[in-house]
Short mmCIF file of all heavy atoms in Angstrom, two decimals:
data_model
loop_
_atom_site.label_atom_id
_atom_site.label_comp_id
_atom_site.label_asym_id
_atom_site.label_seq_id
_atom_site.Cartn_x
_atom_site.Cartn_y
_atom_site.Cartn_z
N ARG A 6 4.40 139.77 -93.97
CA ARG A 6 4.56 138.67 -94.85
C ARG A 6 5.78 138.94 -95.88
O ARG A 6 6.51 138.05 -96.16
CB ARG A 6 3.35 138.31 -95.71
CG ARG A 6 2.29 137.74 -94.89
CD ARG A 6 2.60 136.32 -94.44
NE ARG A 6 1.60 135.75 -93.69
CZ ARG A 6 1.83 134.89 -92.67
NH1 ARG A 6 2.99 134.33 -92.57
NH2 ARG A 6 0.79 134.50 -91.95
N ALA A 7 5.83 140.17 -96.29
CA ALA A 7 6.91 140.60 -97.22
C ALA A 7 8.33 140.40 -96.56
O ALA A 7 9.22 139.94 -97.21
CB ALA A 7 6.68 141.98 -97.67
N ASN A 8 8.37 140.82 -95.29
CA ASN A 8 9.62 140.74 -94.55
C ASN A 8 10.00 139.15 -94.38
O ASN A 8 11.17 138.84 -94.48
CB ASN A 8 9.54 141.40 -93.25
CG ASN A 8 9.58 142.86 -93.37
OD1 ASN A 8 10.16 143.44 -94.30
ND2 ASN A 8 9.00 143.60 -92.36
N GLU A 9 9.01 138.31 -94.17
CA GLU A 9 9.21 136.93 -93.99
C GLU A 9 9.69 136.33 -95.31
O GLU A 9 10.48 135.39 -95.30
CB GLU A 9 7.97 136.27 -93.47
CG GLU A 9 7.63 136.55 -92.05
CD GLU A 9 6.24 135.97 -91.66
OE1 GLU A 9 5.55 135.43 -92.43
OE2 GLU A 9 5.89 136.23 -90.49
N ALA A 10 9.15 136.80 -96.36
CA ALA A 10 9.44 136.22 -97.73
C ALA A 10 10.79 136.56 -98.27
O ALA A 10 11.39 135.87 -99.05
CB ALA A 10 8.39 136.63 -98.65
N GLY A 11 11.30 137.77 -97.93
CA GLY A 11 12.62 138.16 -98.46
C GLY A 11 12.67 139.65 -98.48
O GLY A 11 11.80 140.41 -97.95
N ILE A 12 13.65 140.05 -99.17
CA ILE A 12 13.95 141.57 -99.26
C ILE A 12 13.24 142.10 -100.48
O ILE A 12 13.46 141.60 -101.59
CB ILE A 12 15.48 141.84 -99.33
CG1 ILE A 12 16.07 141.32 -98.07
CG2 ILE A 12 15.74 143.27 -99.48
CD1 ILE A 12 17.59 141.39 -98.06
N PHE A 13 12.43 143.09 -100.30
CA PHE A 13 11.75 143.83 -101.31
C PHE A 13 12.17 145.33 -101.23
O PHE A 13 12.32 145.86 -100.12
CB PHE A 13 10.24 143.73 -101.24
CG PHE A 13 9.62 142.35 -101.40
CD1 PHE A 13 9.41 141.54 -100.30
CD2 PHE A 13 9.47 141.80 -102.65
CE1 PHE A 13 8.91 140.31 -100.53
CE2 PHE A 13 9.00 140.57 -102.82
CZ PHE A 13 8.67 139.72 -101.78
N ASP A 14 12.33 145.92 -102.36
CA ASP A 14 12.61 147.33 -102.38
C ASP A 14 11.41 148.21 -102.23
O ASP A 14 10.26 147.65 -102.12
CB ASP A 14 13.39 147.78 -103.59
CG ASP A 14 12.57 147.70 -104.92
OD1 ASP A 14 11.36 148.01 -104.78
OD2 ASP A 14 13.05 147.40 -105.98
N PRO A 15 11.52 149.46 -101.78
CA PRO A 15 10.38 150.31 -101.53
C PRO A 15 9.36 150.33 -102.61
O PRO A 15 8.09 150.35 -102.28
CB PRO A 15 11.01 151.67 -101.23
CG PRO A 15 12.45 151.41 -100.85
CD PRO A 15 12.79 150.19 -101.60
N THR A 16 9.69 150.27 -103.85
CA THR A 16 8.72 150.24 -104.92
C THR A 16 7.94 148.96 -104.97
O THR A 16 6.65 149.04 -105.15
CB THR A 16 9.48 150.41 -106.37
OG1 THR A 16 10.25 151.58 -106.27
CG2 THR A 16 8.46 150.47 -107.50
N GLU A 17 8.55 147.89 -104.63
CA GLU A 17 7.85 146.57 -104.66
C GLU A 17 6.91 146.54 -103.48
O GLU A 17 5.76 146.06 -103.55
CB GLU A 17 8.91 145.42 -104.52
CG GLU A 17 9.64 145.20 -105.76
CD GLU A 17 10.79 144.26 -105.54
OE1 GLU A 17 11.56 144.35 -104.56
OE2 GLU A 17 10.91 143.33 -106.48
N LEU A 18 7.40 146.98 -102.25
CA LEU A 18 6.50 147.14 -101.12
C LEU A 18 5.29 147.99 -101.37
O LEU A 18 4.18 147.61 -100.92
CB LEU A 18 7.34 147.67 -99.92
CG LEU A 18 8.21 146.58 -99.23
CD1 LEU A 18 8.98 147.22 -98.07
CD2 LEU A 18 7.36 145.38 -98.62
N ALA A 19 5.55 149.06 -102.04
CA ALA A 19 4.30 149.94 -102.41
C ALA A 19 3.29 149.23 -103.26
O ALA A 19 2.05 149.41 -102.98
CB ALA A 19 4.83 151.22 -103.03
N LEU A 20 3.82 148.46 -104.22
CA LEU A 20 2.90 147.73 -105.08
C LEU A 20 2.22 146.70 -104.37
O LEU A 20 1.02 146.61 -104.45
CB LEU A 20 3.72 147.01 -106.23
CG LEU A 20 2.95 146.02 -107.07
CD1 LEU A 20 1.87 146.74 -107.90
CD2 LEU A 20 3.90 145.29 -107.93
N LEU A 21 2.87 145.94 -103.49
CA LEU A 21 2.26 144.92 -102.62
C LEU A 21 1.28 145.54 -101.73
O LEU A 21 0.12 144.96 -101.55
CB LEU A 21 3.31 144.15 -101.84
CG LEU A 21 4.29 143.32 -102.72
CD1 LEU A 21 5.44 142.76 -101.87
CD2 LEU A 21 3.61 142.17 -103.53
N GLY A 22 1.50 146.62 -101.25
CA GLY A 22 0.63 147.28 -100.21
C GLY A 22 -0.65 147.81 -100.98
O GLY A 22 -1.70 147.62 -100.42
N ARG A 23 -0.46 148.35 -102.18
CA ARG A 23 -1.71 148.79 -102.91
C ARG A 23 -2.62 147.60 -103.26
O ARG A 23 -3.78 147.68 -103.11
CB ARG A 23 -1.21 149.48 -104.25
CG ARG A 23 -0.76 150.94 -104.04
CD ARG A 23 -0.56 151.63 -105.36
NE ARG A 23 0.17 150.92 -106.35
CZ ARG A 23 1.55 150.95 -106.55
NH1 ARG A 23 2.28 151.70 -105.68
NH2 ARG A 23 2.06 150.32 -107.53
N VAL A 24 -2.02 146.53 -103.68
CA VAL A 24 -2.75 145.32 -104.00
C VAL A 24 -3.53 144.80 -102.79
O VAL A 24 -4.72 144.49 -102.77
CB VAL A 24 -1.91 144.22 -104.64
CG1 VAL A 24 -2.71 142.86 -104.87
CG2 VAL A 24 -1.31 144.70 -105.98
N PHE A 25 -2.80 144.72 -101.65
CA PHE A 25 -3.44 144.32 -100.35
C PHE A 25 -4.56 145.21 -100.00
O PHE A 25 -5.60 144.70 -99.57
CB PHE A 25 -2.35 144.29 -99.27
CG PHE A 25 -2.89 143.87 -97.92
CD1 PHE A 25 -3.14 142.46 -97.75
CD2 PHE A 25 -3.14 144.68 -96.92
CE1 PHE A 25 -3.61 142.03 -96.50
CE2 PHE A 25 -3.71 144.30 -95.73
CZ PHE A 25 -3.90 142.89 -95.52
N GLU A 26 -4.36 146.44 -100.13
CA GLU A 26 -5.47 147.46 -99.77
C GLU A 26 -6.72 147.30 -100.62
O GLU A 26 -7.76 147.41 -100.21
CB GLU A 26 -4.95 148.87 -99.82
CG GLU A 26 -3.97 149.21 -98.73
CD GLU A 26 -4.64 149.23 -97.27
OE1 GLU A 26 -5.77 149.62 -97.11
OE2 GLU A 26 -3.90 148.65 -96.34
N HIS A 27 -6.43 146.90 -101.85
CA HIS A 27 -7.55 146.71 -102.69
C HIS A 27 -8.39 145.46 -102.49
O HIS A 27 -9.55 145.40 -102.63
CB HIS A 27 -6.99 146.60 -104.25
CG HIS A 27 -8.04 146.43 -105.25
ND1 HIS A 27 -8.81 147.45 -105.67
CD2 HIS A 27 -8.47 145.33 -105.96
CE1 HIS A 27 -9.69 147.18 -106.51
NE2 HIS A 27 -9.45 145.82 -106.79
N LEU A 28 -7.67 144.38 -101.93
CA LEU A 28 -8.26 143.11 -101.74
C LEU A 28 -8.84 142.86 -100.27
O LEU A 28 -9.66 142.04 -100.07
CB LEU A 28 -7.22 141.94 -102.02
CG LEU A 28 -6.79 141.87 -103.48
CD1 LEU A 28 -5.77 140.72 -103.66
CD2 LEU A 28 -8.08 141.55 -104.34
N LYS A 29 -8.21 143.54 -99.29
CA LYS A 29 -8.77 143.31 -97.96
C LYS A 29 -10.17 143.89 -97.72
O LYS A 29 -10.54 144.82 -98.36
CB LYS A 29 -7.81 143.95 -96.99
CG LYS A 29 -7.84 145.38 -96.82
CD LYS A 29 -7.09 145.88 -95.74
CE LYS A 29 -7.22 147.40 -95.61
NZ LYS A 29 -6.83 147.88 -94.31
N LEU A 30 -10.82 143.25 -96.81
CA LEU A 30 -12.27 143.69 -96.44
C LEU A 30 -12.27 144.11 -95.04
O LEU A 30 -11.35 143.67 -94.21
CB LEU A 30 -13.22 142.50 -96.68
CG LEU A 30 -13.30 142.00 -98.16
CD1 LEU A 30 -14.21 140.82 -98.12
CD2 LEU A 30 -13.90 143.15 -99.04
N GLN A 31 -13.12 145.06 -94.73
CA GLN A 31 -13.06 145.66 -93.29
C GLN A 31 -13.29 144.58 -92.33
O GLN A 31 -12.74 144.67 -91.21
CB GLN A 31 -14.15 146.67 -93.34
CG GLN A 31 -14.09 147.70 -92.14
CD GLN A 31 -12.81 148.60 -92.37
OE1 GLN A 31 -12.34 148.79 -93.43
NE2 GLN A 31 -12.31 149.14 -91.21
N ASP A 32 -14.18 143.68 -92.46
CA ASP A 32 -14.52 142.69 -91.44
C ASP A 32 -13.78 141.37 -91.48
O ASP A 32 -14.22 140.43 -90.84
CB ASP A 32 -15.99 142.47 -91.35
CG ASP A 32 -16.54 141.86 -92.70
OD1 ASP A 32 -15.84 141.96 -93.67
OD2 ASP A 32 -17.75 141.39 -92.72
N GLN A 33 -12.66 141.28 -92.19
CA GLN A 33 -11.92 140.05 -92.29
C GLN A 33 -11.17 139.70 -91.04
O GLN A 33 -10.71 140.68 -90.31
CB GLN A 33 -10.94 140.16 -93.50
CG GLN A 33 -11.49 139.99 -94.78
CD GLN A 33 -10.54 140.22 -95.84
OE1 GLN A 33 -9.70 140.99 -95.75
NE2 GLN A 33 -10.57 139.28 -96.88
N SER A 34 -11.05 138.51 -90.75
CA SER A 34 -10.22 138.05 -89.57
C SER A 34 -8.75 138.28 -89.91
O SER A 34 -8.32 138.37 -91.10
CB SER A 34 -10.40 136.54 -89.31
OG SER A 34 -9.98 135.76 -90.38
N PRO A 35 -8.00 138.34 -88.91
CA PRO A 35 -6.42 138.45 -89.09
C PRO A 35 -6.00 137.27 -89.94
O PRO A 35 -5.01 137.44 -90.76
CB PRO A 35 -5.87 138.30 -87.72
CG PRO A 35 -7.00 138.91 -86.81
CD PRO A 35 -8.32 138.41 -87.42
N GLU A 36 -6.54 136.08 -89.73
CA GLU A 36 -6.16 134.95 -90.47
C GLU A 36 -6.45 135.10 -91.97
O GLU A 36 -5.62 134.67 -92.89
CB GLU A 36 -6.74 133.60 -90.05
CG GLU A 36 -6.36 133.21 -88.63
CD GLU A 36 -7.04 133.95 -87.50
OE1 GLU A 36 -8.11 134.65 -87.78
OE2 GLU A 36 -6.57 133.97 -86.39
N ALA A 37 -7.62 135.62 -92.35
CA ALA A 37 -7.96 135.90 -93.72
C ALA A 37 -7.08 136.94 -94.35
O ALA A 37 -6.62 136.70 -95.57
CB ALA A 37 -9.42 136.36 -93.85
N ARG A 38 -6.66 137.92 -93.64
CA ARG A 38 -5.77 138.93 -94.13
C ARG A 38 -4.43 138.37 -94.35
O ARG A 38 -3.70 138.69 -95.35
CB ARG A 38 -5.71 140.16 -93.19
CG ARG A 38 -7.02 141.03 -93.26
CD ARG A 38 -7.00 142.28 -92.46
NE ARG A 38 -8.22 142.91 -92.54
CZ ARG A 38 -8.37 144.14 -92.29
NH1 ARG A 38 -7.36 144.96 -91.92
NH2 ARG A 38 -9.51 144.82 -92.49
N ASP A 39 -3.94 137.49 -93.42
CA ASP A 39 -2.71 136.97 -93.65
C ASP A 39 -2.72 136.00 -94.85
O ASP A 39 -1.65 135.96 -95.68
CB ASP A 39 -2.34 136.02 -92.38
CG ASP A 39 -1.79 136.77 -91.24
OD1 ASP A 39 -1.40 137.97 -91.46
OD2 ASP A 39 -1.72 136.20 -90.20
N ALA A 40 -3.77 135.34 -95.12
CA ALA A 40 -3.93 134.44 -96.34
C ALA A 40 -3.87 135.37 -97.61
O ALA A 40 -3.17 134.93 -98.58
CB ALA A 40 -5.19 133.69 -96.25
N ILE A 41 -4.46 136.47 -97.63
CA ILE A 41 -4.49 137.37 -98.71
C ILE A 41 -3.02 137.88 -99.05
O ILE A 41 -2.51 137.81 -100.12
CB ILE A 41 -5.40 138.58 -98.47
CG1 ILE A 41 -6.87 138.13 -98.62
CG2 ILE A 41 -5.08 139.68 -99.69
CD1 ILE A 41 -7.88 139.13 -98.23
N ALA A 42 -2.37 138.29 -98.01
CA ALA A 42 -0.96 138.70 -98.00
C ALA A 42 -0.15 137.61 -98.60
O ALA A 42 0.76 137.88 -99.49
CB ALA A 42 -0.55 139.25 -96.63
N SER A 43 -0.27 136.43 -98.11
CA SER A 43 0.54 135.35 -98.56
C SER A 43 0.29 135.02 -100.10
O SER A 43 1.30 134.80 -100.83
CB SER A 43 0.18 134.04 -97.85
OG SER A 43 0.70 134.18 -96.51
N ARG A 44 -0.99 135.14 -100.47
CA ARG A 44 -1.27 134.95 -101.95
C ARG A 44 -0.69 136.00 -102.78
O ARG A 44 -0.09 135.69 -103.90
CB ARG A 44 -2.78 134.92 -102.13
CG ARG A 44 -3.49 133.57 -101.67
CD ARG A 44 -4.77 133.43 -102.29
NE ARG A 44 -5.70 134.54 -102.07
CZ ARG A 44 -6.69 134.63 -101.04
NH1 ARG A 44 -6.68 133.70 -100.16
NH2 ARG A 44 -7.39 135.67 -101.00
N ILE A 45 -0.79 137.17 -102.33
CA ILE A 45 -0.20 138.38 -103.09
C ILE A 45 1.31 138.13 -103.30
O ILE A 45 1.82 138.27 -104.35
CB ILE A 45 -0.49 139.72 -102.36
CG1 ILE A 45 -1.96 139.95 -102.46
CG2 ILE A 45 0.31 140.79 -103.11
CD1 ILE A 45 -2.34 141.13 -101.52
N ILE A 46 2.04 137.84 -102.19
CA ILE A 46 3.41 137.74 -102.31
C ILE A 46 3.84 136.47 -103.07
O ILE A 46 4.79 136.52 -103.95
CB ILE A 46 4.11 137.64 -100.89
CG1 ILE A 46 3.93 138.98 -100.21
CG2 ILE A 46 5.52 137.16 -100.91
CD1 ILE A 46 4.19 139.05 -98.76
N ALA A 47 3.12 135.31 -102.94
CA ALA A 47 3.36 134.15 -103.75
C ALA A 47 3.23 134.47 -105.20
O ALA A 47 4.07 134.06 -106.03
CB ALA A 47 2.46 133.01 -103.29
N ASN A 48 2.14 135.12 -105.61
CA ASN A 48 1.94 135.52 -107.03
C ASN A 48 3.01 136.43 -107.61
O ASN A 48 3.53 136.36 -108.57
CB ASN A 48 0.59 136.07 -107.19
CG ASN A 48 -0.53 135.03 -107.17
OD1 ASN A 48 -0.34 133.89 -107.55
ND2 ASN A 48 -1.64 135.49 -106.59
N TYR A 49 3.40 137.42 -106.75
CA TYR A 49 4.42 138.30 -107.10
C TYR A 49 5.81 137.64 -107.27
O TYR A 49 6.47 137.80 -108.38
CB TYR A 49 4.60 139.44 -106.02
CG TYR A 49 5.63 140.50 -106.42
CD1 TYR A 49 5.23 141.50 -107.28
CD2 TYR A 49 6.92 140.42 -105.98
CE1 TYR A 49 6.18 142.54 -107.67
CE2 TYR A 49 7.81 141.40 -106.30
CZ TYR A 49 7.48 142.50 -107.21
OH TYR A 49 8.37 143.41 -107.58
N MET A 50 6.14 136.71 -106.38
CA MET A 50 7.40 136.00 -106.48
C MET A 50 7.40 134.98 -107.62
O MET A 50 8.37 134.60 -108.06
CB MET A 50 7.63 135.30 -105.14
CG MET A 50 7.98 136.34 -104.12
SD MET A 50 8.32 135.55 -102.41
CE MET A 50 9.94 134.85 -102.77
N ALA A 51 6.13 134.61 -108.07
CA ALA A 51 6.08 133.67 -109.26
C ALA A 51 6.20 134.46 -110.51
O ALA A 51 6.10 133.90 -111.56
CB ALA A 51 4.65 132.94 -109.20
N GLY A 52 6.40 135.78 -110.52
CA GLY A 52 6.58 136.59 -111.56
C GLY A 52 5.56 137.54 -112.00
O GLY A 52 5.66 138.14 -113.03
N ILE A 53 4.40 137.53 -111.31
CA ILE A 53 3.27 138.45 -111.63
C ILE A 53 3.66 139.88 -111.17
O ILE A 53 3.64 140.07 -109.97
CB ILE A 53 1.96 138.00 -111.10
CG1 ILE A 53 1.77 136.55 -111.40
CG2 ILE A 53 0.81 138.90 -111.54
CD1 ILE A 53 1.61 136.22 -112.84
N LYS A 54 3.99 140.72 -112.09
CA LYS A 54 4.40 142.04 -111.71
C LYS A 54 3.43 143.21 -112.02
O LYS A 54 3.50 144.30 -111.53
CB LYS A 54 5.80 142.49 -112.37
CG LYS A 54 6.84 141.47 -112.21
CD LYS A 54 7.36 141.33 -110.72
CE LYS A 54 8.43 140.33 -110.64
NZ LYS A 54 8.77 139.89 -109.36
N ASP A 55 2.47 142.92 -112.88
CA ASP A 55 1.48 143.85 -113.28
C ASP A 55 0.48 143.89 -112.19
O ASP A 55 -0.09 143.00 -111.64
CB ASP A 55 0.77 143.39 -114.56
CG ASP A 55 -0.32 144.27 -114.98
OD1 ASP A 55 -0.05 145.42 -115.51
OD2 ASP A 55 -1.51 143.97 -114.86
N GLU A 56 0.08 145.19 -111.73
CA GLU A 56 -0.71 145.41 -110.53
C GLU A 56 -2.14 144.85 -110.81
O GLU A 56 -2.61 144.14 -109.91
CB GLU A 56 -0.80 146.91 -110.27
CG GLU A 56 -1.51 147.18 -108.96
CD GLU A 56 -1.33 148.66 -108.50
OE1 GLU A 56 -0.40 149.23 -108.91
OE2 GLU A 56 -2.21 148.99 -107.66
N ALA A 57 -2.73 145.14 -111.89
CA ALA A 57 -4.07 144.67 -112.12
C ALA A 57 -4.12 143.09 -112.22
O ALA A 57 -5.04 142.53 -111.74
CB ALA A 57 -4.71 145.29 -113.47
N GLU A 58 -3.21 142.46 -112.87
CA GLU A 58 -3.13 141.04 -112.92
C GLU A 58 -2.88 140.45 -111.50
O GLU A 58 -3.45 139.42 -111.18
CB GLU A 58 -2.06 140.65 -113.86
CG GLU A 58 -1.98 139.12 -114.19
CD GLU A 58 -0.98 138.74 -115.22
OE1 GLU A 58 -0.17 139.60 -115.59
OE2 GLU A 58 -0.91 137.55 -115.45
#
Side-chain angles (χ1 to χ4, degrees):
R6 291 288 177 209
N8 286 333
E9 291 171 359
I12 298 173
F13 293 100
D14 67 35
T16 303
E17 292 171 315
L18 283 174
L20 170 67
L21 296 172
R23 285 191 308 272
V24 173
F25 181 77
E26 288 298 317
H27 185 77
L28 293 176
K29 74 175 185 161
L30 300 174
Q31 199 66 22
D32 60 344
Q33 282 176 319
S34 69
E36 293 81 15
R38 288 185 181 200
D39 282 345
I41 290 170
S43 294
R44 284 197 308 266
I45 294 167
I46 291 169
N48 286 326
Y49 185 82
M50 292 179 74
I53 308 302
K54 307 295 184 195
D55 178 75
E56 188 169 339
E58 187 177 7

